[in-house]
Amino acid sequence: MSSRAESLSTTNAPLAFDVHRIRKDFPILDQRINGKPLSYLDNGATTQKPRSVIDAVADYYRHSNANVQRGVHTLSERATQAYEGARDKTKTFINAADKREIIFLRGTTEAINLVAQGFARPRLKAGDEIIVTEMEHHSNIVPWQMVCQQTGAVLRVAPINDAGELKYEEFLNLFNPRTCLLAITHLSNALGTLIPVKEMIKAAHAQNVPVIVDGAQAVAREGVDVRDLDCDFYAFSGHKVYGPTGIGVLYGKLAHLQEMEPYQGGGEMIRRVTFEQTLYAEPPYKFEAGTPNIAGAIGLGEAMDYVTGIGLDEIGAHEHDLLNYATERVVELPGVRLIGTARHKSGILSFVMEGVHPHDIGTIMDHEGVAIRAGHLCAMPVMQYFGVPALARASFGMYNTRREVDALISAMQKVFEVMRR
Ligand code: C6P
């Protein structure tokens, strides 16, 4: 890359934010795919891992591997300390009031299912209503449909407009005395729309309606303060915040967690078991049945340290710069339509190209070394709204550069070239 291109890559980023130094922390980025330098633009699906996270996981298996909470030997104490240390870090990362409010699970999907089955199901009666938005990921639709089927409750959907923004007045009009829960995304994975979660939580609480926020896409981009948001529950996945797969977090207000039913039984989650009766442990252990993903939690703690070290404001500013730059360049291309043009967006650029199926876009781009996602993005209702079978989506992470956006644009030109031959 020329030094001019290098400096262009970071023109609008804050001074202290050095994307090239950051890139060196991610070993996977330094490779060629199909003979071209890798441009990894699929961070909405999963983020890459810095060396410190990879090392922390390997180090745990090399030096401290043991089961947690049960052993009296040194390794078990070490593992327990590291696992609980990760819980402390998570508490700080999202500014929870108490570490008992942090439950480690497999990811966002499991966290939402736990709230659906453990919190909503025992409370819902036939005719009660749950509100979601039209831009939800399937993980924030299907668990609610399942609980509606089980209880006779009804799903109500807050509509979106052509820019992919929530129709706020119509959202407010959905509330009525039967409304029992609001389940909303913080940042749409298909449209990149940032919705006004804080305002929506306030509106729901004014009607005594608890709120769960799906933070899968927001947590690595916006910075989350659960006390400032005042959400009842917040769900996210470790692998989208530069941590390992198979580990995620449900934050819940302690009072809710104390009342809530566990939805899996087994070891670790009990206080006393007899054949007549079982007494459950206190939160968070009540919800962590079985041996947890200890290495995953440790890796997630390390990822949070890494992200905090770089600074979420800096990461957010850098990704906004990339999104703005990419948007400016994409709108210049004839035959390309952006899907998701909300005023408040973050990190995600979805589009369709005239006469080309998104899967072909993805495949041709891969030949150019550019990794994007193509498909329904687990958001079929969004596809239905925009009348498309699928989307192509570039999604940015802290290590992406303007040069990679340029590679994306060249790859898009290549797509037209190949398909119009
Ligand atoms: N979205 C994407 O490419 P899990 O699979 O549990 O880690 O996360 C599920 C999930 C929930 N909510 C939102 C807003 C999401 O974006 C995701 C995961 C990936 O967009 C995979 S479909």
Side-chain angles (χ1 to χ4, degrees):
M1 194 184 352
S2 73
S3 60
R4 182 173 146 66
E6 286 262 351
S7 68
L8 272 178
S9 309
T10 49
T11 317
N12 295 332
L15 270 182
F17 186 91
D18 181 350
V19 70
H20 300 293
R21 183 180 54 75
I22 289 170
R23 287 181 73 81
K24 291 200 176 84
D25 292 337
F26 290 81
I28 201 171
L29 297 177
D30 184 22
Q31 63 174 302
R32 298 177 88 79
I33 298 287
N34 296 316
K36 311 274 169 47
L38 166 66
S39 296
Y40 184 78
L41 300 175
D42 195 17
N43 296 284
T46 198
T47 51
Q48 301 301 348
K49 323 303 172 202
R51 192 174 285 105
S52 59
V53 169
I54 300 167
D55 289 350
V57 171
D59 193 66
Y60 162 72
Y61 280 124
R62 234 178 238 129
H63 302 294
S64 309
N65 178 51
N67 213 324
V68 288
Q69 322 288 9
R70 10 189 158 196
V72 289
H73 57 81
T74 303
L75 289 187
S76 175
E77 271 169 28
R78 214 184 273 166
T80 304
Q81 236 172 41
Y83 182 70
E84 291 303 322
R87 203 187 305 277
D88 286 323
K89 288 179 186 183
T90 309
K91 166 188 171 281
T92 305
F93 192 71
I94 61 171
N95 197 29
D98 192 308
K99 71 181 281 190
R100 291 174 292 173
E101 297 177 320
I102 306 298
I103 303 166
F104 285 131
L105 300 159
R106 274 192 300 133
T108 309
T109 304
E110 190 177 18
I112 296 173
N113 276 280
L114 168 56
V115 176
Q117 293 301 318
F119 180 77
R121 188 175 177 180
R123 284 169 177 73
L124 290 172
K125 293 180 294 302
D128 286 346
E129 297 182 3
I130 298 170
I131 302 176
V132 296
T133 79
E134 202 172 2
M135 67 180 103
E136 300 306 324
H137 185 279
H138 298 163
S139 292
N140 205 25
I141 299 174
V142 184
W144 307 117
Q145 287 174 326
M146 290 164 74
V147 86
C148 283
Q149 263 175 10
Q150 290 156 344
T151 60
V154 180
L155 201 61
R156 305 293 305 274
V157 182
I160 57 175
N161 64 21
D162 291 349
E165 290 165 334
L166 190 69
K167 291 186 176 171
Y168 201 74
E169 283 306 308
E170 295 191 29
F171 156 72
L172 289 179
N173 288 338
L174 288 177
F175 284 91
N176 68 58
R178 303 304 311 255
T179 310
C180 284
L181 189 78
L182 173 64
I184 46 173
T185 186
H186 194 160
L187 167 57
S188 157
N189 72 314
L191 300 165
T193 309
L194 267 169
I195 66 169
V197 269
K198 190 170 170 184
E199 210 178 314
M200 292 165 79
I201 291 165
K202 213 166 161 190
H205 284 174
Q207 317 270 341
N208 283 324
V209 172
V211 185
I212 171 164
V213 181
D214 169 356
Q217 294 294 340
V219 72
R221 295 196 165 92
E222 293 304 312
V224 174
D225 182 333
V226 289
R227 272 191 279 177
D228 181 53
L229 288 178
D230 196 27
C231 51
D232 297 273
F233 299 98
Y234 197 96
F236 66 96
S237 304
H239 70 99
K240 293 193 204 289
V241 63
Y242 307 96
T245 48
I247 184 77
V249 174
L250 176 68
Y251 157 82
K253 283 183 178 168
L254 189 58
H256 291 322
L257 297 182
Q258 280 165 337
E259 278 181 21
M260 232 165 102
E261 294 293 314
Y263 93 128
Q264 290 183 346
E268 304 250 10
M269 52 80 72
I270 53 87
R271 197 144 50 85
R272 184 158 181 270
V273 178
T274 64
F275 282 113
E276 289 70 42
Q277 194 200 17
T278 289
L279 296 176
Y280 302 135
E282 291 299 311
Y285 307 110
K286 178 164 78 167
F287 305 104
E288 294 181 0
T291 300
N293 183 351
I294 305 162
I298 292 168
L300 174 59
E302 199 62 39
M304 289 173 173
D305 283 348
Y306 184 83
V307 167
T308 306
I310 304 287
L312 268 161
D313 287 349
E314 286 71 16
I315 294 169
H318 177 68
E319 289 188 25
H320 275 107
D321 172 63
L322 292 175
L323 181 64
N324 290 342
Y325 178 62
T327 305
E328 278 165 24
R329 297 225 44 203
V330 167
V331 294
E332 283 169 5
L333 296 174
V336 179
R337 176 182 165 212
L338 282 180
I339 303 287
T341 50
R343 275 157 299 172
H344 301 291
K345 281 189 68 175
S346 187
I348 284 168
L349 187 85
S350 291
F351 57 90
V352 286
M353 300 176 74
E354 217 173 85
V356 191
H357 192 281
H359 286 153
D360 293 328
I361 301 176
T363 307
I364 297 169
M365 286 204 172
D366 184 54
H367 286 136
E368 301 302 304
V370 178
I372 60 154
R373 177 146 184 219
H376 55 60
L377 310 181
C378 299
M380 283 187 177
V382 171
M383 307 302 122
Q384 277 150 24
Y385 178 89
F386 286 96
V388 293
L391 292 175
R393 181 191 71 185
S395 49
F396 303 110
M398 67 164 94
Y399 36 62
N400 289 127
T401 64
R402 284 186 170 212
R403 188 195 60 74
E404 291 179 308
V405 174
D406 294 339
L408 170 75
I409 303 297
S410 306
M412 288 169 82
Q413 286 160 336
K414 184 83 180 183
V415 169
F416 277 138
E417 221 179 280
V418 171
M419 296 306 286
R420 288 176 179 164
R421 243 177 230 157

